[in-house]
């Protein structure tokens, strides 16, 4: 690697870190505002213009709180658990492409941190399954019965839905013939019949539906938030965490919501592609403007799914634990397997005809 | 070869670094006024009874073991899915046979009641 590559890499990592942190802060605010709107309340409106700085005030408060580690807790794992959670939530962003390549000061920029990584989806699934460790360790190390139950429930739930999540993507891989996310997005740029965007949602609707439900379970969001079911488990796995250590779990949860939204957009809704508009001759010479427009397209599409996450949380009651496991193992898993088989057979039939 | 992995490794290091720095900063910035009451385990205001590290339901072990089995089977499908076009119909038949075998095992587990939660 040359020096310029290292500088570009460091700048890209810093930009993505800022997108992650500021994005998570505003998604928390969005959730509070939307929930207030759904419940006919006002929501946070004191800090900044209409509460726009509320999340930053909350972070400041969390940082200045006392750090309490219970006497019976395992000190090392109690420290390690939030670090694992946040590290996973940040590092999965390495494979998401934000827009098509563009040129700045004569340097061609690939707007992904790891652009040519040909194991894209595998790395993503591997890292996100490590997220289970953060929650399980937090529950176990706290030496608190509520935390332990929350951690156990959540680990069983996350690994159960990971099966369906992994399987639901196989149909998409069969169609695309690649696990490199940059390639997958690039292949969604064309049109069928000259006008319908080549998005994967049109060929893999069942796969997308399974992925969507699994994404809710993986992020421990309602209606699958059994890990922190507050009427029964106080706070679940983070009962014994104070201050910023709790804040990191919170940040990781919202970071994962943003990631899942970006991922659904990237894998099934054409990623950064802005159909019809990006083919205009104007964008041929202005790659920088095209990149900006495409980033805006990704942002808007992801924002819809983030809103969807919030909307579902405040509309649908929590599942019971046996219902949750039944849905995961007896409905989603066979359905995902069937989706894979049918996709493979249809593709083979199309090739031979 | 290794070059394509370096940015991803750098991102993982950035994530771990961010986590450690923020936790350490929090430990350092917050007040330090420990009392014996703050150090007890939270149990809704009751005196804590015994340790939490006790036996828990065997169902959780079962789910974990089944997950490992099925996850490995799914990993076998990824390389097949990526090179599906190149492999042709023989690979499709072989994979269908594999999926049917997997499904028979799945039906056995369901019939045995391993996935029953009550």
């Amino acid at each position: 690697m040359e020096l310029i590559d290292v500088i570009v890499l460091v700048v890209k990592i810093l930009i993505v870190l800022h997108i992650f942190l500021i994005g998570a802060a505003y998604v928390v605010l969005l959730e509070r505002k939307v929930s207030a709107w759904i419940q006919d309340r006002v929501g946070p409106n004191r800090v900044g213009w209409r509460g726009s700085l509320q999340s930053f005030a909350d972070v400041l408060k969390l940082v200045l709180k006392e750090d309490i580690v219970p006497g019976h807790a395992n000190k090392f794992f109690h420290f390690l658990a939030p670090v694992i959670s946040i590290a996973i939530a940040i590092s999965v962003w390495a494979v998401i492409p934000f827009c098509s390549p563009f040129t700045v000061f004569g340097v061609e920029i690939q707007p992904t941190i790891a652009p040519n990584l040909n194991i894209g989806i595998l790395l993503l699934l591997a890292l996100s399954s490590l997220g289970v460790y953060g929650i399980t360790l937090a529950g176990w190390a706290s030496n608190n019965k509520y935390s332990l139950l929350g951690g156990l429930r959540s680990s069983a739930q996350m690994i159960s839905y990971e099966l369906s999540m992994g399987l639901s993507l196989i149909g998409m891989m069969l169609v695309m013939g690649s696990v490199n996310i940059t390639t997958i997005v690039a292949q969604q740029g064309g049109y069928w019949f000259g006008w319908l965007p080549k998005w994967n949602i049109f060929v893999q609707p069942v796969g997308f539906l399974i992925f969507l439900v699994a994404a809710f379970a993986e992020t421990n969001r309602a209606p699958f938030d059994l890990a922190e079911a507050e009427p029964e488990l106080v706070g679940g796995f983070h009962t014994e965490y104070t201050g910023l250590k709790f804040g990191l779990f919170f940040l990781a949860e919202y970071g994962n919501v943003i990631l899942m939204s970006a991922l659904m957009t990237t894998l099934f809704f054409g990623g950064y592609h802005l159909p019809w508009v990006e083919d205009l001759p104007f964008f041929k010479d202005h790659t920088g403007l095209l990149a900006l427009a495409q980033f805006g397209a990704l942002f808007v599409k992801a924002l819809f799914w983030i809103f969807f996450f919030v909307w579902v949380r405040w509309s649908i009651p929590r599942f019971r634990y046996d219902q949750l496991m039944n849905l995961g193992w007896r409905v989603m898993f066979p359905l995902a397997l069937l989706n894979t088989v049918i996709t493979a057979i249809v593709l083979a039939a199309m090739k031979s005809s | 070869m290794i070059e394509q992995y370096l940015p991803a490794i750098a991102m993982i290091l950035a994530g771990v670094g961010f986590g450690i720095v923020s936790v350490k900063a929090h430990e350092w910035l917050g007040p330090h006024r420990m009392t014996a009451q703050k150090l007890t385990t939270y149990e809704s205001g009751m005196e804590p009874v015994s340790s939490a590290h006790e036996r828990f339901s065997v169902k959780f072990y079962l789910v974990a073991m089944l997950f490992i089995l099925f996850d490995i089977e799914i990993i076998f499908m990824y390389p097949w899915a990526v090179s599906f076009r190149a492999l042709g119909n023989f690979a499709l038949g072989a994979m269908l046979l594999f999926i049917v075998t997997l499904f028979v095992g799945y039906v056995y587990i369901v019939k045995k009641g391993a996935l029953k939660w009550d």
Side-chain angles (χ1 to χ4, degrees):
Chain A
M1 277 178 124
E2 288 172 37
L3 184 65
I4 185 75
D5 292 334
V6 177
I7 294 173
V8 167
L9 179 64
V10 170
V11 170
K12 280 198 288 194
I13 288 181
L14 284 178
I15 291 175
V16 172
L17 258 179
H18 281 85
I19 292 178
F20 172 83
L21 291 173
I22 296 172
Y26 277 100
V27 171
V28 173
L29 186 71
L30 178 89
E31 165 128 49
R32 295 175 71 173
K33 278 288 187 189
V34 171
S35 68
W37 176 52
I38 289 175
Q39 297 177 333
D40 204 11
R41 294 184 280 116
V42 180
N45 65 348
R46 291 300 152 110
V47 190
W49 181 75
R50 297 203 173 180
S52 56
L53 298 174
Q54 180 69 42
S55 297
F56 299 101
D58 288 343
V59 169
L60 196 66
K61 184 195 77 178
L62 285 173
V63 171
L64 296 176
K65 287 282 175 187
E66 184 171 7
D67 176 47
I68 300 173
V69 182
H72 295 287
N74 183 321
K75 301 263 181 321
F76 178 65
F77 287 128
H78 192 271
F79 162 76
L80 195 64
V83 175
I84 292 180
S85 279
I86 195 72
I88 302 298
I90 290 177
S91 52
V92 280
W93 283 93
V95 289
I96 303 283
F98 291 98
C99 50
S100 53
F102 59 96
T103 315
V104 174
F105 303 125
V107 184
E108 199 190 343
I109 308 276
Q110 296 271 357
T112 317
I113 287 175
N116 301 315
L117 200 63
N118 52 20
I119 57 160
I121 293 182
L122 288 180
L123 181 83
L124 209 127
L125 288 173
L127 279 176
S128 62
S129 44
L130 283 178
V132 180
Y133 278 99
I135 289 176
T136 314
L137 275 180
W140 184 82
S142 302
N143 201 351
N144 176 326
K145 294 174 189 86
Y146 298 119
S147 303
L148 184 71
L149 277 175
L152 280 175
R153 277 185 182 190
S154 153
S155 56
Q157 167 191 341
M158 283 167 90
I159 60 180
S160 299
Y161 280 80
E162 216 173 278
L163 287 181
S164 319
M165 182 176 255
L167 259 179
S168 69
L169 293 178
I170 291 182
M172 194 269 301
M173 285 176 209
L174 280 168
V175 179
M176 292 280 118
S178 173
V179 283
N180 183 338
I181 295 186
T182 315
T183 317
I184 290 175
V185 175
Q187 285 187 24
Q188 294 183 68
Y191 301 95
W192 280 303
F193 321 120
W195 57 273
L196 188 67
K198 264 193 175 172
W199 293 357
N200 281 326
I201 177 73
F202 298 120
V203 284
Q204 283 289 314
V206 179
F208 170 70
L209 209 64
I210 296 165
F211 186 85
L212 179 69
V213 176
F216 275 90
E218 285 287 300
T219 48
N220 282 315
R221 293 279 301 183
F224 303 122
D225 58 344
L226 276 295
E228 44 190 302
E230 56 273 11
E232 21 184 320
L233 290 181
V234 191
F237 60 90
H238 56 59
T239 304
E240 292 286 4
Y241 281 88
T242 56
L244 199 64
K245 281 184 180 172
F246 161 75
L248 288 185
F249 281 123
F250 200 67
L251 196 63
E253 184 190 323
Y254 282 90
N256 282 331
V257 169
I258 307 176
L259 175 85
M260 284 299 169
S261 308
L263 206 57
M264 280 190 266
T265 309
T266 306
L267 297 180
F268 291 97
F269 287 88
Y272 52 71
H273 284 298
L274 193 62
W276 312 300
V277 178
E278 66 184 7
D279 302 325
L280 295 178
F282 168 75
F283 283 125
K284 285 270 186 299
D285 330 311
H286 300 83
T287 50
L289 281 180
L290 176 64
L292 211 61
Q294 287 179 330
F295 181 75
L298 178 69
F299 178 78
V300 170
K301 289 185 211 171
L303 195 64
F304 172 77
W305 289 110
I306 292 170
F307 175 76
F308 188 76
F309 268 92
V310 175
W311 186 12
V312 166
R313 172 167 178 187
W314 296 97
S315 310
I316 295 180
R318 189 175 291 131
F319 273 55
R320 223 168 52 215
Y321 200 68
D322 59 326
Q323 292 171 331
L324 170 90
M325 295 308 263
N326 271 341
L327 180 70
W329 282 94
R330 296 198 186 172
V331 181
M332 306 253 295
F333 181 72
L335 200 64
L337 214 54
L338 193 69
N339 180 46
T340 310
V341 171
I342 291 178
T343 311
I345 291 176
V346 168
L347 275 180
M350 276 169 66
K351 199 170 67 172
S352 58
S353 66
Chain B
M1 187 55 205
I2 191 71
E3 288 243 315
Q4 58 171 327
Y5 295 99
L6 284 178
I9 294 170
M11 193 63 182
I12 294 173
L13 290 180
V16 174
F18 176 79
I20 291 177
V21 166
S22 45
V23 170
K24 284 292 171 198
H26 167 232
E27 283 174 4
W28 179 66
L29 281 170
H32 301 273
R33 284 186 289 272
M34 277 298 152
T35 61
Q37 276 71 36
K38 278 185 193 169
L39 289 176
T40 55
T41 307
Y42 176 76
E43 222 166 275
S44 303
M46 313 289 283
E47 290 282 326
V49 183
S50 75
S51 162
H53 294 165
E54 285 186 26
R55 288 185 291 178
F56 49 83
S57 173
V58 71
K59 291 285 177 196
F60 291 110
Y61 294 96
L62 259 181
V63 168
M65 283 192 290
L66 292 178
F67 162 72
I68 291 181
L69 281 177
F70 280 104
D71 210 34
I72 290 171
E73 314 298 335
I74 291 172
I75 293 293
F76 285 142
M77 295 183 200
Y78 281 80
W80 164 74
V82 171
S83 41
F84 177 73
R85 276 158 224 271
L87 286 174
N89 285 342
F90 175 73
L92 174 65
M95 187 47 81
L96 285 184
L97 198 65
F98 177 75
I99 289 178
V100 168
T101 320
L102 178 70
F103 195 71
V104 170
Y106 169 76
V107 171
Y108 174 76
I109 292 167
V110 171
K111 288 287 172 206
K112 265 284 184 193
L115 300 173
K116 207 175 242 154
W117 292 76
D118 42 21

